Tab-separated table of all heavy atoms in Angstrom:
chain	number	residue	atom	x	y	z
A	1	GLY	N	-8.115	-4.571	-53.237
A	1	GLY	CA	-8.633	-5.783	-52.637
A	1	GLY	C	-7.962	-7.048	-53.120
A	1	GLY	O	-8.244	-8.130	-52.607
A	2	GLY	N	-7.097	-6.925	-54.106
A	2	GLY	CA	-6.370	-8.070	-54.616
A	2	GLY	C	-6.882	-8.624	-55.924
A	2	GLY	O	-6.263	-9.533	-56.493
A	3	SER	N	-7.996	-8.114	-56.416
A	3	SER	CA	-8.514	-8.574	-57.698
A	3	SER	C	-7.576	-8.170	-58.824
A	3	SER	O	-6.979	-7.096	-58.789
A	3	SER	CB	-9.904	-7.995	-57.956
A	3	SER	OG	-10.822	-8.418	-56.964
A	4	THR	N	-7.471	-9.019	-59.824
A	4	THR	CA	-6.567	-8.759	-60.934
A	4	THR	C	-7.252	-8.970	-62.266
A	4	THR	O	-8.222	-9.719	-62.375
A	4	THR	CB	-5.333	-9.673	-60.868
A	4	THR	OG1	-5.758	-11.042	-60.892
A	4	THR	CG2	-4.536	-9.424	-59.601
A	5	ASN	N	-6.734	-8.302	-63.276
A	5	ASN	CA	-7.170	-8.494	-64.648
A	5	ASN	C	-5.938	-8.522	-65.538
A	5	ASN	O	-4.993	-7.764	-65.320
A	5	ASN	CB	-8.114	-7.378	-65.098
A	5	ASN	CG	-9.484	-7.484	-64.478
A	5	ASN	OD1	-10.167	-8.489	-64.616
A	5	ASN	ND2	-9.906	-6.430	-63.784
A	6	TYR	N	-5.974	-9.377	-66.554
A	6	TYR	CA	-4.860	-9.524	-67.467
A	6	TYR	C	-5.326	-9.415	-68.910
A	6	TYR	O	-6.451	-9.796	-69.240
A	6	TYR	CB	-4.181	-10.877	-67.290
A	6	TYR	CG	-3.544	-11.089	-65.939
A	6	TYR	CD1	-4.254	-11.667	-64.896
A	6	TYR	CD2	-2.220	-10.714	-65.713
A	6	TYR	CE1	-3.671	-11.867	-63.657
A	6	TYR	CE2	-1.627	-10.911	-64.473
A	6	TYR	CZ	-2.356	-11.487	-63.451
A	6	TYR	OH	-1.767	-11.686	-62.222
A	7	ALA	N	-4.453	-8.915	-69.752
A	7	ALA	CA	-4.722	-8.913	-71.173
A	7	ALA	C	-4.690	-10.339	-71.703
A	7	ALA	O	-4.022	-11.208	-71.136
A	7	ALA	CB	-3.689	-8.060	-71.908
A	8	ASP	N	-5.396	-10.565	-72.801
A	8	ASP	CA	-5.452	-11.910	-73.365
A	8	ASP	C	-4.077	-12.430	-73.772
A	8	ASP	O	-3.803	-13.627	-73.657
A	8	ASP	CB	-6.391	-11.942	-74.569
A	8	ASP	CG	-7.851	-11.807	-74.182
A	8	ASP	OD1	-8.188	-12.056	-73.007
A	8	ASP	OD2	-8.665	-11.462	-75.066
A	9	PHE	N	-3.213	-11.550	-74.231
A	9	PHE	CA	-1.917	-12.007	-74.705
A	9	PHE	C	-1.008	-12.515	-73.591
A	9	PHE	O	0.015	-13.142	-73.863
A	9	PHE	CB	-1.203	-10.899	-75.502
A	9	PHE	CG	-0.881	-9.653	-74.720
A	9	PHE	CD1	0.160	-9.636	-73.801
A	9	PHE	CD2	-1.606	-8.487	-74.924
A	9	PHE	CE1	0.462	-8.491	-73.086
A	9	PHE	CE2	-1.313	-7.332	-74.208
A	9	PHE	CZ	-0.276	-7.336	-73.290
A	10	VAL	N	-1.376	-12.243	-72.340
A	10	VAL	CA	-0.580	-12.749	-71.220
A	10	VAL	C	-0.594	-14.275	-71.200
A	10	VAL	O	0.430	-14.914	-70.913
A	10	VAL	CB	-1.102	-12.179	-69.892
A	10	VAL	CG1	-0.479	-12.912	-68.701
A	10	VAL	CG2	-0.818	-10.689	-69.813
A	11	GLU	N	-1.740	-14.855	-71.476
A	11	GLU	CA	-1.889	-16.302	-71.608
A	11	GLU	C	-1.357	-17.081	-70.404
A	11	GLU	O	-0.747	-18.141	-70.556
A	11	GLU	CB	-1.197	-16.777	-72.895
A	11	GLU	CG	-1.772	-16.155	-74.153
A	11	GLU	CD	-0.996	-16.520	-75.396
A	11	GLU	OE1	0.250	-16.589	-75.341
A	11	GLU	OE2	-1.648	-16.750	-76.429
A	12	GLY	N	-1.566	-16.542	-69.211
A	12	GLY	CA	-1.146	-17.211	-68.000
A	12	GLY	C	0.316	-17.094	-67.671
A	12	GLY	O	0.770	-17.682	-66.677
A	13	ARG	N	1.067	-16.348	-68.451
A	13	ARG	CA	2.516	-16.272	-68.255
A	13	ARG	C	2.953	-15.242	-67.231
A	13	ARG	O	4.053	-15.349	-66.683
A	13	ARG	CB	3.203	-15.963	-69.588
A	13	ARG	CG	2.967	-17.000	-70.676
A	13	ARG	CD	3.572	-16.538	-72.004
A	13	ARG	NE	2.963	-15.310	-72.489
A	13	ARG	CZ	3.656	-14.249	-72.912
A	13	ARG	NH1	4.986	-14.281	-72.927
A	13	ARG	NH2	3.007	-13.172	-73.340
A	14	PHE	N	2.121	-14.242	-66.988
A	14	PHE	CA	2.495	-13.135	-66.108
A	14	PHE	C	1.659	-13.154	-64.835
A	14	PHE	O	0.511	-13.603	-64.834
A	14	PHE	CB	2.280	-11.777	-66.787
A	14	PHE	CG	3.048	-11.566	-68.057
A	14	PHE	CD1	2.781	-10.459	-68.848
A	14	PHE	CD2	4.038	-12.452	-68.467
A	14	PHE	CE1	3.485	-10.237	-70.020
A	14	PHE	CE2	4.748	-12.252	-69.639
A	14	PHE	CZ	4.465	-11.126	-70.418
A	15	THR	N	2.240	-12.618	-63.768
A	15	THR	CA	1.529	-12.475	-62.512
A	15	THR	C	1.779	-11.087	-61.944
A	15	THR	O	2.928	-10.682	-61.774
A	15	THR	CB	1.976	-13.525	-61.484
A	15	THR	OG1	1.754	-14.834	-61.998
A	15	THR	CG2	1.181	-13.365	-60.189
A	16	ILE	N	0.708	-10.360	-61.652
A	16	ILE	CA	0.835	-9.052	-61.047
A	16	ILE	C	0.552	-9.174	-59.556
A	16	ILE	O	-0.320	-9.935	-59.139
A	16	ILE	CB	-0.108	-8.023	-61.708
A	16	ILE	CG1	0.177	-6.611	-61.185
A	16	ILE	CG2	-1.570	-8.395	-61.498
A	16	ILE	CD1	-0.553	-5.512	-61.956
A	17	SER	N	1.285	-8.434	-58.754
A	17	SER	CA	1.089	-8.454	-57.314
A	17	SER	C	1.358	-7.074	-56.746
A	17	SER	O	1.994	-6.232	-57.390
A	17	SER	CB	1.996	-9.496	-56.646
A	17	SER	OG	3.362	-9.214	-56.884
A	18	MET	N	0.876	-6.837	-55.542
A	18	MET	CA	1.022	-5.536	-54.896
A	18	MET	C	1.460	-5.713	-53.460
A	18	MET	O	1.010	-6.621	-52.763
A	18	MET	CB	-0.297	-4.768	-54.954
A	18	MET	CG	-0.283	-3.412	-54.273
A	18	MET	SD	-1.926	-2.633	-54.244
A	18	MET	CE	-2.151	-2.251	-55.986
A	19	ASP	N	2.332	-4.831	-53.023
A	19	ASP	CA	2.752	-4.757	-51.637
A	19	ASP	C	2.223	-3.431	-51.106
A	19	ASP	O	2.797	-2.372	-51.370
A	19	ASP	CB	4.273	-4.834	-51.507
A	19	ASP	CG	4.733	-4.885	-50.062
A	19	ASP	OD1	4.032	-4.360	-49.180
A	19	ASP	OD2	5.806	-5.457	-49.803
A	20	ASN	N	1.129	-3.478	-50.374
A	20	ASN	CA	0.491	-2.259	-49.899
A	20	ASN	C	1.371	-1.464	-48.934
A	20	ASN	O	1.345	-0.232	-48.932
A	20	ASN	CB	-0.836	-2.594	-49.227
A	20	ASN	CG	-1.878	-3.077	-50.203
A	20	ASN	OD1	-2.114	-2.461	-51.235
A	20	ASN	ND2	-2.519	-4.192	-49.877
A	21	ALA	N	2.134	-2.168	-48.115
A	21	ALA	CA	2.998	-1.494	-47.150
A	21	ALA	C	4.077	-0.670	-47.840
A	21	ALA	O	4.492	0.380	-47.338
A	21	ALA	CB	3.629	-2.506	-46.204
A	22	LYS	N	4.533	-1.143	-48.979
A	22	LYS	CA	5.588	-0.458	-49.716
A	22	LYS	C	5.055	0.403	-50.858
A	22	LYS	O	5.836	1.065	-51.531
A	22	LYS	CB	6.580	-1.471	-50.282
A	22	LYS	CG	7.332	-2.265	-49.237
A	22	LYS	CD	8.310	-3.228	-49.887
A	22	LYS	CE	9.090	-4.009	-48.852
A	22	LYS	NZ	10.049	-4.960	-49.484
A	23	ASN	N	3.750	0.369	-51.073
A	23	ASN	CA	3.150	1.068	-52.215
A	23	ASN	C	3.846	0.671	-53.509
A	23	ASN	O	4.221	1.523	-54.322
A	23	ASN	CB	3.209	2.581	-52.016
A	23	ASN	CG	2.319	3.050	-50.888
A	23	ASN	OD1	1.185	2.592	-50.749
A	23	ASN	ND2	2.813	3.966	-50.079
A	24	ALA	N	4.004	-0.619	-53.668
A	24	ALA	CA	4.728	-1.141	-54.818
A	24	ALA	C	3.881	-2.168	-55.563
A	24	ALA	O	3.035	-2.840	-54.981
A	24	ALA	CB	6.044	-1.773	-54.379
A	25	VAL	N	4.144	-2.288	-56.837
A	25	VAL	CA	3.496	-3.287	-57.671
A	25	VAL	C	4.572	-4.010	-58.463
A	25	VAL	O	5.593	-3.420	-58.824
A	25	VAL	CB	2.444	-2.656	-58.614
A	25	VAL	CG1	3.108	-1.718	-59.620
A	25	VAL	CG2	1.639	-3.733	-59.314
A	26	TYR	N	4.330	-5.290	-58.711
A	26	TYR	CA	5.306	-6.119	-59.400
A	26	TYR	C	4.643	-6.861	-60.548
A	26	TYR	O	3.453	-7.152	-60.523
A	26	TYR	CB	5.928	-7.132	-58.435
A	26	TYR	CG	6.444	-6.505	-57.161
A	26	TYR	CD1	5.646	-6.438	-56.022
A	26	TYR	CD2	7.726	-5.970	-57.102
A	26	TYR	CE1	6.112	-5.851	-54.859
A	26	TYR	CE2	8.195	-5.382	-55.937
A	26	TYR	CZ	7.395	-5.323	-54.822
A	26	TYR	OH	7.863	-4.739	-53.671
A	27	LEU	N	5.423	-7.166	-61.538
A	27	LEU	CA	4.952	-7.974	-62.652
A	27	LEU	C	5.982	-9.057	-62.918
A	27	LEU	O	7.066	-8.771	-63.441
A	27	LEU	CB	4.735	-7.122	-63.901
A	27	LEU	CG	4.121	-7.865	-65.090
A	27	LEU	CD1	2.681	-8.273	-64.785
A	27	LEU	CD2	4.169	-7.005	-66.349
A	28	GLN	N	5.648	-10.272	-62.532
A	28	GLN	CA	6.494	-11.418	-62.816
A	28	GLN	C	6.152	-11.930	-64.201
A	28	GLN	O	5.024	-12.332	-64.455
A	28	GLN	CB	6.281	-12.518	-61.778
A	28	GLN	CG	7.082	-13.779	-62.019
A	28	GLN	CD	8.569	-13.567	-61.877
A	28	GLN	OE1	9.013	-12.913	-60.937
A	28	GLN	NE2	9.344	-14.100	-62.800
A	29	MET	N	7.115	-11.904	-65.089
A	29	MET	CA	6.900	-12.304	-66.470
A	29	MET	C	7.725	-13.547	-66.768
A	29	MET	O	8.956	-13.502	-66.739
A	29	MET	CB	7.269	-11.176	-67.433
A	29	MET	CG	6.502	-9.883	-67.183
A	29	MET	SD	6.788	-8.634	-68.468
A	29	MET	CE	8.522	-8.289	-68.181
A	30	ASN	N	7.043	-14.634	-67.052
A	30	ASN	CA	7.687	-15.891	-67.394
A	30	ASN	C	7.410	-16.234	-68.852
A	30	ASN	O	6.502	-15.692	-69.469
A	30	ASN	CB	7.188	-17.016	-66.489
A	30	ASN	CG	7.433	-16.757	-65.025
A	30	ASN	OD1	8.467	-16.218	-64.641
A	30	ASN	ND2	6.481	-17.160	-64.179
A	31	SER	N	8.185	-17.152	-69.374
A	31	SER	CA	8.002	-17.623	-70.752
A	31	SER	C	7.895	-16.465	-71.732
A	31	SER	O	7.009	-16.422	-72.583
A	31	SER	CB	6.755	-18.518	-70.838
A	31	SER	OG	6.848	-19.621	-69.962
A	32	LEU	N	8.801	-15.536	-71.621
A	32	LEU	CA	8.759	-14.349	-72.455
A	32	LEU	C	8.943	-14.687	-73.931
A	32	LEU	O	9.686	-15.604	-74.288
A	32	LEU	CB	9.819	-13.352	-72.006
A	32	LEU	CG	9.466	-12.584	-70.725
A	32	LEU	CD1	10.703	-11.943	-70.125
A	32	LEU	CD2	8.403	-11.529	-71.027
A	33	LYS	N	8.260	-13.923	-74.759
A	33	LYS	CA	8.308	-14.084	-76.197
A	33	LYS	C	8.867	-12.819	-76.841
A	33	LYS	O	8.766	-11.739	-76.263
A	33	LYS	CB	6.908	-14.346	-76.756
A	33	LYS	CG	6.188	-15.531	-76.150
A	33	LYS	CD	4.775	-15.624	-76.696
A	33	LYS	CE	4.026	-16.800	-76.102
A	33	LYS	NZ	2.637	-16.880	-76.631
């Protein structure tokens, strides 16, 4: 349904998304440490 949950250490830096048509999931990771 599009709901997401993140670990605390993500701290707003990462974004998870899904493409249902492709059965794919992505993780955009910014400000990597």
Side-chain angles (χ1 to χ4, degrees):
S3 299
T4 58
N5 287 302
Y6 296 91
D8 289 340
F9 63 75
V10 168
E11 300 174 321
R13 300 174 298 131
F14 301 171
T15 301
I16 188 170
S17 60
M18 178 186 291
D19 185 332
N20 291 311
K22 296 181 179 180
N23 292 317
V25 65
Y26 309 93
L27 185 67
Q28 178 66 44
M29 302 188 294
N30 301 322
S31 302
L32 284 163
K33 304 175 180 180

